[in-house]
Amino acid sequence: MYTQGLDQKPEAENQADQAEKLKQFQARIDADEKIEPKDWMPAAYRKTLIRQISQHAHSEIVGMLPEGNWITRAPTLRRKAILLAKVQDEAGHGLYLYSAAETLGVSRDELVDQLLSGKAKYSSIFNYPTLSWADIGAIGWLVDGAAIMNQIPLCRCSYGPYARAMVRVCKEESFHQRQGFEIMLTLCRGTEEQRYMAQDALNRWWWPSLMMFGPSDVDSKHSAQSMAWKIKRFSNDELRQKFIDVTVPQAEHLGLKMPDPDLKWNETRGHYDCGEIDWQEFHDVLKGNGPCNRERLEARNTAHDNGAWVREAAVAYANKHNSGREAA
């Protein structure tokens, strides 16, 4: 009896101490203070950030593949140079984000292994094929436009390293969106065939772009807690609605027809109403059954294997450099 009481007392004290830490942590969040890597944080907060930041990083890396497919086939040298710069930007974004995730105590090797094994998720939008040059315009206009809508609030994320990384990412994504819209505008001012290409690209990329914001709020497992911790500032449906309201007038300016017969302006709400998203397609793609899921993972694994000699050479150089410093 006595020893049991001794055993239980530290546990009760630990629970009280944990509750007080949680209270203080939430007070910092509510006061809009930034949480830094060495600060105390709940395990669930750390786990949520690792999941979100790593998925974001994976999306940047896998996102290079659909556009990289058109680098050698860009219609002009100018377009080729711009697309090369854009793909390089995406690689840089992935590196920023992996670095931010590492501040939470997870290794980059572990994160990359999760991607290559198929365990980790990335944005479902990158599992669709780029069939024409117009798709590159649609990706810049719609996909990067949706990304910006998601990412600008992340510049005010409660976790400092993530928020600071997003400032530069958002500046570069804004350029990517304008580049994509300019491609679409050029096509829409071109020949009948070019206008058809632009319309076809919009038809195929519109609904997947809306899915980028994640499941509806009622079905989202993580949104409520992420918003309480101010990792997210807006819900999935709020961001999706903002994107629709901004993008529809842009499509009208291009002279393109939105591929949604139920889309209409709701004067009462002050927003556009739209048709139902095919959530079954969304979940199928997330489960690995999209048009290009297997192709994307195969490409990443091949690139990783082919780059083994670079990693080995970098390690050998670092070891040689360090041993030379130690000898000195």
Side-chain angles (χ1 to χ4, degrees):
M1 294 282 293
Y2 179 70
T3 56
Q4 286 177 352
L6 287 177
D7 291 339
Q8 290 170 4
K9 188 176 180 181
E11 181 179 347
E13 289 176 347
N14 287 339
Q15 289 177 349
D17 182 54
Q18 184 80 356
E20 181 59 29
K21 286 182 177 180
L22 284 170
K23 183 179 177 181
Q24 293 175 359
F25 177 81
Q26 191 60 51
R28 293 187 63 193
I29 297 292
D30 294 339
D32 281 330
E33 292 184 26
K34 286 286 184 282
I35 306 301
E36 299 298 338
K38 293 185 178 180
D39 294 341
W40 184 90
M41 65 186 74
Y45 178 82
R46 185 186 303 274
K47 182 179 179 181
T48 297
L49 280 168
I50 290 173
R51 175 187 57 79
Q52 180 170 329
I53 298 174
S54 63
Q55 287 182 6
H56 192 167
H58 299 330
S59 298
E60 298 285 357
I61 298 302
V62 177
M64 295 188 292
L65 296 173
E67 294 176 301
N69 181 43
W70 278 88
I71 288 175
T72 59
R73 296 182 287 165
T76 67
L77 183 60
R78 172 176 172 269
R79 294 292 190 195
K80 186 190 296 287
I82 292 172
L83 187 57
L84 272 168
K86 182 185 179 186
V87 172
Q88 287 178 318
D89 284 348
E90 306 296 359
H93 298 171
L95 295 180
Y96 303 152
L97 293 165
Y98 282 134
S99 295
E102 285 178 310
T103 65
L104 292 159
V106 63
S107 74
R108 188 173 308 197
D109 287 343
E110 182 180 350
L111 296 178
V112 172
D113 286 344
Q114 290 173 358
L115 171 63
L116 297 178
S117 68
K119 180 181 178 181
K121 290 184 173 62
Y122 54 87
S123 181
S124 61
I125 194 75
F126 300 119
N127 290 313
Y128 291 86
T130 45
L131 304 179
S132 75
W133 173 251
D135 287 30
I136 303 304
I139 288 175
W141 173 38
L142 300 175
V143 176
D144 293 328
I148 292 167
M149 199 65 68
N150 258 319
Q151 293 171 9
I152 286 179
L154 291 175
C155 295
R156 296 186 292 124
C157 168
S158 60
Y159 187 58
Y162 194 19
R164 290 189 288 273
M166 291 314 303
V167 173
R168 178 167 181 174
V169 170
C170 286
K171 289 179 180 179
E172 293 176 350
E173 291 290 1
S174 295
F175 165 77
H176 299 168
Q177 195 272 345
R178 290 194 294 272
Q179 172 255 358
F181 186 81
E182 193 266 338
I183 290 176
M184 297 296 281
L185 183 62
T186 300
L187 291 171
C188 290
R189 290 175 173 175
T191 65
E192 187 66 29
E193 183 180 6
Q194 289 173 321
R195 288 192 292 274
Y196 173 82
M197 286 170 57
Q199 182 65 61
D200 178 61
L202 172 59
N203 293 347
R204 287 182 289 105
W205 289 93
W206 174 246
W207 292 105
S209 295
L210 296 186
M211 296 175 194
M212 283 182 67
F213 296 94
S216 62
D217 293 345
V218 295
D219 296 322
S220 179
K221 298 178 181 179
H222 306 289
S223 284
Q225 184 60 73
S226 291
M227 291 179 69
W229 281 330
K230 296 188 179 180
I231 296 172
K232 291 179 65 171
R233 295 282 179 159
F234 301 96
S235 73
N236 295 349
D237 288 337
E238 287 175 326
L239 292 169
R240 190 170 8 250
Q241 185 66 67
K242 287 184 178 184
F243 175 70
I244 293 170
D245 291 346
V246 166
T247 307
V248 172
Q250 295 173 354
E252 292 173 349
H253 179 76
L254 292 172
L256 298 176
K257 181 180 179 182
M258 300 301 292
D260 180 0
D262 297 323
L263 185 72
K264 61 181 181 298
W265 178 255
N266 186 320
E267 194 66 43
T268 303
R269 292 198 315 120
H271 298 288
Y272 283 96
D273 292 334
C274 67
E276 183 66 23
I277 294 172
D278 185 351
W279 292 115
Q280 186 59 53
E281 177 183 334
F282 172 75
H283 291 299
D284 286 344
V285 175
L286 281 184
K287 291 176 182 176
N289 299 318
C292 297
N293 289 64
R294 293 175 181 81
E295 178 183 331
R296 299 293 183 242
L297 279 183
E298 287 174 2
R300 287 310 313 152
N301 274 281
T302 299
H304 187 75
D305 292 343
N306 290 342
W309 70 272
V310 178
R311 296 190 296 276
E312 292 167 2
V315 170
Y317 175 80
N319 291 338
K320 181 179 179 181
H321 184 70
N322 290 335
S323 62
R325 290 173 60 183
E326 291 172 0

